[in-house]
Amino acid sequence: MKIPSVKLPFALLATSLLLSACGPLIKIGDGSPPPALYSIQPTISGNLSNEGLVIYVSEPLLPGESIGNRIAVRTDDFELKFLKDGRWSEPFRMMLHRYFVGDLAGSVKAQVVGAGLLDISADCRLTVDFQRFDYETQSNSVVAKATARFVSLKSGSLLSSKVINISADVSSDKSDKIVSGYNQAASKVSTALSEWLKDALPACAAVE
């Protein structure tokens, strides 16, 4: 019995051979669940002030490992890693900036402004320069170290500075517990800034 042959057009045959060599046409992901998205949120207390000094809060300065969306983990003094199953919902620096602006606006008797409002005539500026802000596996805590500076925008003079060194304990090494530690650390830093600014505001008001 003679089996009839089917002749494919040359272009179709070449395409079929090429696609078969390339494997599956579509492959989405590797089957792993996407990383969870986390954020830090201030607990704003008190009423926002519409009177008094205008304080501009600059976006905080952070080391490279803490700027973006990855959640930094320090395994020893010289090694840094990142959480595999969790990410910040937006760059950490932006969230931290918004956190400080919102929290300080409710705790300091001044008009506290932040991103997008530099064209407002402000009296003084607050800058916070972090040397580190990360989860430390050895101590099982989130550690933040920073230098804050309060500058008069009228005279350009440094009115006050403060070194901040805080830590927040983490109950386990699970991602949600680590993020909770980040929230607690941010709250502690903001509280330290608030208490310091209350004493520094008179110097800002005294500048002519």
Side-chain angles (χ1 to χ4, degrees), residues 147-164:
T147 302
R149 296 178 177 86
F150 195 46
V151 178
S152 169
L153 293 177
K154 293 180 179 179
S155 65
S157 58
L158 176 64
L159 302 177
S160 182
S161 61
K162 180 177 178 62
V163 174
I164 297 173

Side-chain angles (χ1 to χ4, degrees), residues 23-44:
L25 291 178
I26 299 175
K27 184 178 181 181
I28 301 176
D30 58 0
S32 302
L37 295 179
Y38 296 102
S39 65
I40 57 173
Q41 299 291 336
T43 302
I44 301 175

Side-chain angles (χ1 to χ4, degrees), residues 35-54:
L37 295 179
Y38 296 102
S39 65
I40 57 173
Q41 299 291 336
T43 302
I44 301 175
S45 60
N47 298 319
L48 301 183
S49 176
N50 293 319
E51 298 179 354
L53 297 170
V54 178

Side-chain angles (χ1 to χ4, degrees), residues 161-183:
S161 61
K162 180 177 178 62
V163 174
I164 297 173
N165 188 356
I166 65 94
S167 64
D169 293 336
V170 176
S171 59
S172 78
D173 60 357
K174 293 183 178 179
S175 294
D176 60 335
K177 302 301 182 183
I178 292 173
V179 169
S180 177
Y182 267 93
N183 270 279

Side-chain angles (χ1 to χ4, degrees), residues 62-67 70-84 130-138 141-143 182:
L62 287 158
E65 67 272 8
S66 299
I67 290 176
R70 297 190 295 177
I71 301 175
V73 175
R74 186 180 296 271
T75 55
D76 60 38
D77 290 342
F78 304 103
E79 184 177 29
L80 281 164
K81 297 182 179 180
F82 302 93
L83 288 186
K84 292 182 179 180
F130 284 93
Q131 288 76 55
R132 63 175 294 192
F133 202 137
D134 51 57
Y135 167 63
E136 184 179 84
T137 58
Q138 291 178 332
S141 63
V142 175
V143 178
Y182 267 93

